[in-house]
Each structure stands twice: as C-alpha cells, then as structure tokens.
Amino acid sequence: MRSEEPLYLRRVKLSNIRALESLDLSFGDAPERPRRHTVVIGRNGTCKSTLLRAISLGLASKSDVAALLAAPVGGMIGPRGDHASIAVTAEAPSGLVVKTHVELRRWDDQEVVQTTLDN
C-alpha cells in the first residue's frame, strides 16, 4: 500500500470502551464494499467523541497511541473491568485490507496498550 493511499473503514468493534459496553459497527454499503462517507449524529453524551477517539487509537501507530492515551480527557477503559479492546478493519482502494487490534489493560492506575496489525 502506498503511504498516500486512503483507507476506508469497514468495521469497528469496541468492548468496554468508556460508556460503550459493546459495539460492532459496520461502515459498508455491503459486506465487501466500504462506504466512502459516514456521518455520526447524536445528542450530547452519546459517545460520538468516544467512537472517534477509539477509531483514532485503532489506526494510530504505537507511539501515537501512547500520546493519545496521555491526553487529559480521561481513560478509555470502561467501568466493566480492567480490560478493553478496539478492533478496526479498513480497506484501501487497491483492495488491501488492514486489520488492527488494540488491547487496553489497567495496571497500577495506568492504561497499558498492546497493538497488533494483521494485513
């Protein structure tokens, strides 16, 4: 994949991310065709920013994930345990599919991150 080639989201799966207990969101018109544009609309406090931040964490490099988690906007792990996960599937116009998985664990009052990339 060329670095300037865009990625289009196909699916985002979240588990115990802030107030979202579980979310499996498809960004496709059909199972194999990602949508080019998506609009997220909702009232205040409905986790729109949480969704966008989770997508950012799912697509970011390991160093950028650490910087995003260090931002003073609160942790990402929700109230249902000391573990959370973010899985993002995206596709480039060339057909390359990129799958990332971010595991967050609470350890000594900090969020520890493990990121894997499958493609």
Side-chain angles (χ1 to χ4, degrees):
M1 182 177 81
R2 298 181 331 232
S3 61
E4 66 272 4
E5 190 173 23
L7 287 176
Y8 297 101
L9 291 175
R10 284 177 53 180
R11 169 163 262 124
V12 174
K13 292 182 182 182
L14 307 178
S15 176
N16 194 30
I17 297 295
R18 299 190 83 159
L20 297 170
E21 182 175 348
S22 178
L23 178 69
D24 185 350
L25 187 58
S26 172
F27 288 88
D29 295 329
E32 298 302 317
R33 200 174 88 205
R35 215 180 287 127
R36 294 183 130 244
H37 299 90
T38 299
V39 177
V40 178
I41 299 172
R43 294 180 186 267
N44 288 344
T46 57
C47 297
K48 299 177 303 294
S49 295
T50 296
L51 172 63
L52 295 175
R53 189 169 179 220
I55 292 168
S56 296
L57 288 167
L59 293 174
S61 67
K62 288 183 181 184
S63 61
D64 289 340
V65 167
L68 286 167
L69 288 175
V73 294
M76 290 297 285
I77 299 175
R80 293 159 297 281
D82 291 335
H83 172 264
S85 66
I86 301 165
V88 177
T89 304
E91 183 177 344
S94 65
L96 176 70
V97 175
V98 176
K99 295 181 180 183
T100 63
H101 191 85
V102 177
E103 293 285 330
L104 301 163
R105 297 192 185 277
R106 194 173 288 122
W107 187 69
D108 283 345
D109 292 329
Q110 292 189 354
E111 293 182 358
V112 180
V113 180
Q114 178 180 359
T115 303
T116 57
L117 172 65
D118 302 323
N119 52 334

